[in-house]
Amino acid sequence: MTSFDDIPEIALDWHRAGRGAVLATVVETWGSAPRPVGSQLAISGDGEIAGSVSGGCVEGAVVVEAMEAAEEGGSRLMEFGVSDDEAFAVGLACGGRIRVMVEPVRDGDLPADLLADLAGARRDRRQVAYEVDTESWARRLVHPPAHGDRFRLDRSGFQDGGTRFVAIHNPPLRMVVVGGVHIAQPLLQMARLTGYDAVLVDPRESFASPERFPDQTLIHDWPDEALDAHGLDPRTAVVTLTHDPKLDDPAIERALASDVFYLGCLGSTRTHGKRVARLRDKGFTEAQIARIHAPVGLDIGARSPSEIALAVMAEITARLRQG
């Protein structure tokens, strides 16, 4: 089932249904632009749209061009430049320019098989980059370690100032919080506000209850079983909060054996020292253990549960964006 953010998938569905489809992608911006590079708009052959490339009337001009491309074929670049006085009329917050790439889904342009491979990688939570040369219109998909910094920063754009555009498709960010303690309540809320698909893992139903965590995803399995079932990947952060080795350690061990981008553990320096000793006894290397952020969170003098949650989210963001 596709969501409103699944723009490549929607275009593929329209194409397969025989309606025709065009993908429009923001490839460059200057000055003010309400949608970042990489933003996409899908247009069907009968004029239905999904997604956006600006905040307003630019879509209308793109749709007209897309309808022509759907009928005649031919990928193309469009540029919209406006003054401060004209900005609101074309959906820009203030003066600026945006450049939009328009690609019909058809042989000779964006092949349906390539679009299907892109949709499959997105469905399977595999990081994938769509490369297109805007002169020759040669296209391909590549995966990490290529474009490592672009994947880490979620940064689409032209490669080295040339004609090759790289569209980054990262899986949605996820967070697994182990332990239904007080800190977890604001932490889960902050995680969702910053774009994470967050879940709470705690076999103790009295801790991880709907009353304490309304509208949150609760998993009442033991942490090792929960993380095995949930899956861990480079777009996942894991935070353990229970202080109880019976609950925290299985989750930590699973996280250290995976490629999650962040692992943070609540507890004092003394508590972490004991944790490190247990991990060494189980055969974990110093390099693996060094991946743990403990005590968890940036040192901002946080005291309340909400402040600690803020420190944790800040550290996760720094790890994600700065490496």
Side-chain angles (χ1 to χ4, degrees), residues 123-139:
R123 180 191 61 237
D124 296 339
R125 290 188 57 81
R126 288 183 286 121
Q127 293 176 298
V128 61
Y130 169 65
E131 292 183 358
V132 53
D133 189 303
T134 56
E135 285 190 350
S136 68
W137 294 108
R139 299 165 169 88

Side-chain angles (χ1 to χ4, degrees), residues 6-307:
D6 295 332
I7 307 306
E9 293 82 353
I10 290 170
L12 182 63
D13 288 345
W14 286 342
H15 170 79
R16 287 173 169 172
R19 299 176 59 187
V22 178
L23 269 178
T25 306
V26 177
V27 295
E28 280 186 299
T29 64
W30 302 266
S32 171
R35 297 288 287 141
V37 171
S39 300
Q40 291 191 306
L41 172 72
I43 306 99
S44 74
D46 48 13
E48 186 175 351
I49 66 172
S52 64
V53 290
S54 78
C57 294
V58 164
E59 269 77 5
V62 172
V63 168
V64 170
E65 193 78 11
M67 298 291 283
E68 180 179 314
E71 183 175 344
E72 300 177 359
S75 300
R76 58 202 71 181
L77 292 172
M78 305 174 63
E79 186 170 317
F80 300 90
V82 294
S83 67
D84 286 344
D85 291 339
E86 299 169 326
F88 282 103
V90 292
L92 298 177
C94 56
R97 288 186 293 155
I98 63 172
R99 202 174 180 199
V100 178
M101 177 174 65
V102 176
E103 299 176 281
V105 181
R106 57 188 291 167
D107 292 339
D109 288 298
L110 174 52
D113 289 347
L114 184 64
L115 184 58
D117 290 343
L118 173 62
R122 287 164 54 92
R123 180 191 61 237
D124 296 339
R125 290 188 57 81
R126 288 183 286 121
Q127 293 176 298
V128 61
Y130 169 65
E131 292 183 358
V132 53
D133 189 303
T134 56
E135 285 190 350
S136 68
W137 294 108
R139 299 165 169 88
R140 67 172 184 166
L141 300 180
V142 298
H143 301 271
H147 304 304
D149 285 343
R150 287 192 179 278
F151 279 112
R152 178 171 58 82
L153 297 170
D154 278 318
R155 181 174 292 167
S156 300
F158 279 98
Q159 189 72 6
D160 301 323
T163 60
R164 184 177 53 163
F165 178 73
V166 181
I168 294 297
H169 294 265
N170 269 321
L173 290 163
R174 299 192 297 179
M175 184 184 300
V176 180
V177 178
V178 178
V181 299
H182 194 175
I183 295 168
Q185 293 173 303
L187 178 59
L188 286 165
Q189 294 177 11
M190 291 180 190
R192 291 195 180 278
L193 286 172
T194 47
Y196 287 78
D197 180 5
V199 301
L200 175 66
V201 175
D202 198 322
R204 305 167 299 180
E205 296 189 24
S206 59
F207 280 75
S209 67
E211 292 75 21
R212 299 187 69 231
F213 294 93
D215 302 320
Q216 301 291 350
T217 301
L218 309 178
I219 301 175
H220 294 124
D221 296 330
W222 283 90
D224 51 351
E225 298 172 356
L227 268 61
D228 286 344
H230 187 65
L232 299 174
D233 60 31
R235 296 281 287 176
T236 302
V238 176
V239 182
T240 67
L241 300 175
T242 75
H243 290 286
D244 185 345
K246 296 193 303 297
L247 296 174
D248 282 358
D249 283 9
I252 294 168
E253 292 165 19
R254 288 296 195 275
L256 289 179
S258 75
D259 51 3
V260 297
F261 77 87
Y262 177 88
L263 170 60
C265 303
L266 187 68
S268 65
T269 301
R270 183 168 176 267
T271 296
H272 185 57
K274 294 179 180 178
R275 179 187 295 131
V276 167
R278 293 193 302 271
L279 292 170
R280 285 177 180 149
D281 289 343
K282 291 197 173 184
F284 286 92
T285 67
E286 296 301 317
Q288 287 177 303
I289 295 170
R291 293 175 59 198
I292 302 173
H293 294 264
V296 71
L298 293 183
D299 184 6
I300 59 173
R303 298 181 63 182
S304 70
S306 294
E307 289 175 347

